[in-house]
Amino acid sequence: MNIHNRKEFIAAIRPFDRISDAELERVLASLDIQFFPESRYLMKAGEVPSHFYILFKGIVREEETDSIVAYYGPGDVFDAGSLISGVCRHDFIVAEEVLCYSLERSIFLDLARGNRAFQDYYFQNLTQKVEELRDISGYRDFNFLVTEPVESVDLHPAVTIDGGEAIHRAALLMKEHRVDALLVRLGSDRIGMVTGTHIRDAVAGECLDPMTPVERIAERQVISVARDELLFDALLMMTRHRVNRLLIEQGGDPVGFLELVDLLGFWSNQSHLVGERIEHAQTLADLKEAVERLPYAIQTLFLKGVKVRFVTRLMRELNRRLLTKLFSLLAPAELIENSVLVVMGSEGRGEQLVKTDQDNALILRDGFVFPGLEDFRREFAEAMAYLDIPPCPGKIMLSEEGWCGSAQSFRDRLAEWIQNRDAASLLNLAIFYDATPSAGDGRLLQQVKKYLLATLPDDRVFYAHFAKPAVSFDTPLSLFSQFVLEKKGSVEALDIKKGGVFPIVHGIRSLALEKRLREVNTGKRIMALAHLGVFDATFAEDLIEAFDFLSGIRFQTMLERGGSALSDQNLVDPGQCTTSQRELLKESFRTVARLKKLVVQHFRLNLLA
């Protein structure tokens, strides 16, 4: 390797890509080339390390007592942690003849002390590395807005008027304070709100006398959020309640108004407009038109760098409104009052980014009989297909036998699945555990789920069989931290779903079921499990970030290939990723591997036949 190639080689290795030219020249001048024969110990546990190693030929094995920790091959470096702490934790042994560069510890530590970015690299967890990628990608400004509290933006003043004052006085106050909304005192402890639209409709539309008390036209329901809530949560609140303005409170006292136009100025997306179109839809054709705009709203947020967990929350809210509207268009009032429409799978967990297929069920109140039920089930499935939501290949939908019935019939099926414990029963149990109410009487689902949690056995073998699929696919990372690509047809790529997303979802779901958690979302289950001490908070953060990153890069691939959820769109070609993305992919897969190891040990999967 000549000097020019050696410089490129070192500069491409992280974190040497973040040092200055002068620092890089000093490193190059200090490097020694060394050869080590097979079985030679480079470092021993308990010793003070002398060098930092950069391999360009051969293999080194890291061992801890009686187990192998890792292998290192060409392009890998070790062991910064030992250099920084001053003591080797493990043995490093040559597995195949090694040619490497070595850098004296004193020079390595000088570099770390003098370059904060270089030093930080070794103290960052996965969350911090993902954030750094977002900074590099220019997403920081936007994420600042979606991860900052409401108090970080200027609010419109909350001016108050007594309810007995005239509408005319309210109009004058608005003009004086340059606001479009006032708080209205309706009593000693009640407030309402009046807007410019209310006044216009009252005076110009209903021809009310301008001297009419303003309390007559005041809005009684004022939606409010605390000042320390996230801006993104404020947007969700507006979407959920279909309002364009929120009252902001601090300690229960009003401090101002946040208006939708302020948020849309930041987001410039169509999500709120999609929600409005869904709300005002009168026909299936209207609904289809609204649904067709949904991918653009989601895509806009994602491409602006909003974290996947925030995008999926908005998607969940819009999907819930879509199904509620569809249910109201097709089902008569008596069916809506006596049933609950539930969604399952990624939609149930609130982790859906694109339209996939129908995963739904209908639970009826015990004793309720609806003569037109069969027609409704058929029409609902046809309407979903019309909205480009195809039938579920596994037939998990209310039009199929077993996914529509009384609450008692669902309790019977749950008991049967728990009793049988075969693969199909445990799969159905996993699907139902992720169920969330979408429309109708949500208490029906709560009652059935309460029965599920009360009926679960205290039997480790049961949970071991339930958890086993979480480790059924290999993590696509070799012992040498190289990607293991999967060949499908003429394509060699990483299967993100099998290798990363599914093991996290089902591994966490298994631990959550054993603990009888009520949370459905994977991120919330992770935090709840950390709270219970199943793993520590740092690992929980890394898991959530790995799940976010893997889901995001999978979604990015879907966007590039057309936006639908075909099976091959789970494949990602690492050659098309940036260097930072490839590194984060490896970090994420290592986190997945840690979770799988925890699942194997926790449920003693090695003891299963």
Side-chain angles (χ1 to χ4, degrees):
M1 188 178 294
N2 60 39
I3 293 176
H4 180 70
N5 289 341
R6 187 176 65 158
K7 185 174 182 179
E8 285 188 349
F9 177 72
I10 299 297
I13 296 173
R14 305 199 78 179
F16 292 93
D17 59 346
R18 57 184 69 186
I19 64 177
S20 67
D21 283 344
E23 290 169 327
L24 182 58
E25 290 299 334
R26 186 188 175 203
V27 168
L28 293 172
S30 306
L31 286 176
D32 288 326
I33 296 179
Q34 296 203 46
F35 168 80
F36 296 103
E38 189 172 323
S39 302
R40 167 75 180 272
Y41 277 72
L42 295 186
M43 293 190 283
K44 288 186 177 180
E47 290 184 349
V48 177
S50 59
H51 289 83
F52 180 75
Y53 294 99
I54 306 168
L55 268 64
F56 59 90
K57 184 179 179 183
I59 297 170
V60 171
R61 184 174 64 247
E62 181 180 356
E63 293 185 357
E64 178 186 22
T65 315
D66 56 353
S67 64
I68 296 172
V69 176
Y71 281 92
Y72 300 90
D76 289 335
V77 298
F78 61 90
D79 178 38
S82 297
L83 293 174
I84 293 170
S85 66
V87 62
C88 296
R89 291 184 306 159
H90 303 141
D91 295 327
F92 290 80
I93 307 165
V94 176
E96 288 183 10
E97 289 184 344
V98 160
L99 270 177
C100 66
Y101 291 118
S102 63
L103 185 68
E104 286 187 10
R105 182 187 178 212
S106 59
I107 296 175
F108 177 88
L109 293 180
D110 283 346
L111 192 59
R113 291 189 195 101
N115 187 316
R116 182 61 183 270
F118 184 89
Q119 182 189 71
D120 284 350
Y121 177 82
Y122 292 107
F123 293 96
Q124 286 177 322
N125 58 24
L126 180 58
T127 301
Q128 293 164 327
K129 289 179 180 177
V130 170
E131 287 299 326
E132 184 180 88
L133 174 63
R134 289 175 179 275
D135 288 349
I136 293 171
S137 304
Y139 295 151
R140 190 64 186 175
D141 288 344
F142 188 78
N143 266 314
F144 173 82
L145 295 172
V146 295
T147 58
E148 286 297 301
V150 169
E151 62 188 355
S152 63
V153 301
D154 292 332
L155 301 175
H156 300 270
V159 181
T160 303
I161 184 173
D162 286 330
E165 296 262 18
I167 293 175
H168 178 257
R169 173 62 182 156
L172 291 177
L173 271 179
M174 287 183 184
K175 183 179 179 181
E176 178 185 347
H177 292 278
R178 297 182 179 180
V179 296
D180 193 48
L182 299 174
L183 287 175
V184 181
R185 288 192 200 91
L186 300 174
S188 58
D189 57 353
R190 293 176 57 214
I191 59 169
M193 181 177 66
V194 66
T195 68
T197 302
H198 291 138
I199 293 177
R200 182 197 62 201
D201 291 347
V203 176
E206 300 177 30
C207 298
L208 283 183
D209 185 336
M211 301 312 291
T212 303
V214 71
E215 64 185 4
R216 179 171 170 182
I217 64 170
E219 179 74 43
R220 261 52 179 178
Q221 185 181 17
V222 181
I223 307 301
S224 62
V225 298
R227 193 172 186 174
D228 57 358
E229 291 283 345
L230 294 180
L231 284 168
F232 197 87
D233 288 321
L235 178 64
L236 282 178
M237 188 72 80
M238 289 182 182
T239 302
R240 181 176 302 132
H241 293 281
R242 303 187 291 279
V243 297
N244 296 329
R245 182 181 290 105
L246 294 175
L247 176 64
I248 308 303
E249 296 181 329
Q250 185 171 26
D253 296 325
V255 294
F257 285 105
L258 178 68
E259 300 197 356
L260 177 63
V261 67
D262 300 324
L263 293 181
L264 291 186
F266 297 140
W267 271 284
S268 298
N269 78 85
Q270 301 293 312
S271 59
H272 191 81
L273 298 179
V274 171
E276 288 297 298
R277 283 179 175 270
I278 290 173
E279 189 58 35
H280 292 107
Q282 297 295 317
T283 65
L284 286 180
D286 295 340
L287 213 48
K288 185 178 179 66
E289 188 177 338
V291 170
E292 287 172 346
R293 292 173 175 268
L294 192 52
Y296 299 106
I298 300 303
Q299 183 175 338
T300 300
L301 284 173
F302 180 78
L303 294 179
K304 283 180 177 290
V306 180
K307 287 188 174 185
V308 169
R309 76 192 69 150
F310 290 107
V311 180
T312 54
R313 286 172 63 186
L314 183 60
M315 182 79 172
R316 177 183 59 191
E317 191 58 40
L318 292 174
N319 275 335
R320 187 188 65 77
R321 289 179 63 176
L322 167 67
L323 288 177
T324 300
K325 173 59 73 170
L326 179 61
F327 202 41
S328 69
L329 288 176
L330 298 179
E334 61 177 318
L335 180 57
I336 295 174
E337 292 170 3
N338 290 284
S339 66
V340 59
L341 174 67
V342 304
V343 292
M344 296 167 285
S346 60
E347 189 175 353
R349 297 190 304 275
E351 294 157 7
Q352 190 181 39
L353 280 169
V354 296
K355 287 183 296 181
T356 52
D357 49 42
Q358 301 178 38
D359 275 327
N360 52 51
L362 187 68
I363 302 174
L364 304 171
R365 197 180 307 281
D366 288 334
F368 173 70
V369 177
F370 179 61
L373 185 61
E374 293 307 311
D375 288 340
F376 167 77
R377 293 169 64 187
R378 177 180 49 76
E379 290 171 3
F380 187 86
E382 290 174 354
M384 292 286 277
Y386 173 74
L387 297 176
D388 293 329
I389 305 173
C392 171
K395 300 187 182 302
I396 312 296
M397 44 191 186
L398 63 85
S399 58
E400 295 293 330
E401 195 63 34
W403 295 101
C404 176
S406 66
Q408 183 58 51
S409 72
F410 275 90
R411 287 192 286 269
D412 291 343
R413 295 199 75 196
L414 287 169
E416 183 182 323
W417 294 336
I418 292 171
Q419 179 69 30
N420 288 346
R421 305 188 180 193
D422 57 86
S425 296
L426 293 177
L427 175 61
N428 285 333
L429 186 61
I431 291 170
F432 191 84
Y433 185 45
D434 292 346
T436 302
S438 185
D441 189 348
R443 292 172 298 181
L444 291 170
L445 178 62
Q446 287 178 13
Q447 292 163 6
V448 176
K449 280 204 160 185
K450 184 177 179 182
Y451 171 82
L452 164 64
L453 298 180
T455 309
L456 287 170
D458 295 320
D459 177 357
R460 295 188 67 87
V461 176
F462 168 81
Y463 296 104
H465 282 287
F466 184 87
K468 190 177 179 182
V471 298
S472 58
F473 301 113
D474 291 333
T475 303
L477 208 59
S478 72
L479 286 172
F480 308 104
S481 294
Q482 300 301 312
F483 292 122
V484 177
L485 303 182
E486 192 168 320
K487 187 163 187 177
K488 291 195 175 181
S490 59
V491 178
E492 278 193 335
L494 296 166
D495 191 321
I496 295 292
K497 184 175 182 180
K498 287 187 349 187
V501 173
F502 175 74
I504 294 178
V505 169
H506 193 63
I508 292 300
R509 177 164 49 203
S510 304
L511 293 164
L513 186 74
E514 184 199 34
K515 299 296 182 186
R516 293 170 169 77
L517 296 183
R518 295 180 182 276
E519 286 80 358
V520 175
N521 176 265
T522 298
K524 290 184 177 179
R525 283 174 173 169
I526 289 172
M527 295 309 296
L529 289 167
H531 183 71
L532 292 174
V534 177
F535 38 68
D536 61 41
T538 300
F539 184 55
E541 289 177 7
D542 282 352
L543 268 176
I544 291 173
E545 207 60 62
F547 184 61
D548 254 17
F549 183 76
L550 292 169
S551 300
I553 206 161
R554 179 176 169 228
F555 182 54
Q556 181 179 328
T557 302
M558 289 179 178
L559 290 178
E560 292 169 356
R561 296 180 186 173
S564 62
L566 299 176
S567 59
D568 68 349
Q569 289 173 329
N570 292 316
L571 300 180
V572 170
D573 178 4
Q576 300 298 314
C577 298
T578 65
T579 302
S580 295
Q581 286 175 326
R582 284 196 294 274
E583 185 170 330
L584 288 173
L585 268 173
K586 290 181 179 179
E587 288 272 5
S588 298
F589 284 135
R590 290 189 193 104
T591 302
V592 173
R594 281 185 62 194
L595 174 65
K596 289 168 68 175
K597 185 176 180 181
L598 183 152
V599 168
V600 169
Q601 293 174 343
H602 182 88
F603 293 109
R604 301 178 183 176
L605 297 187
N606 54 330
L607 299 180
L608 285 183

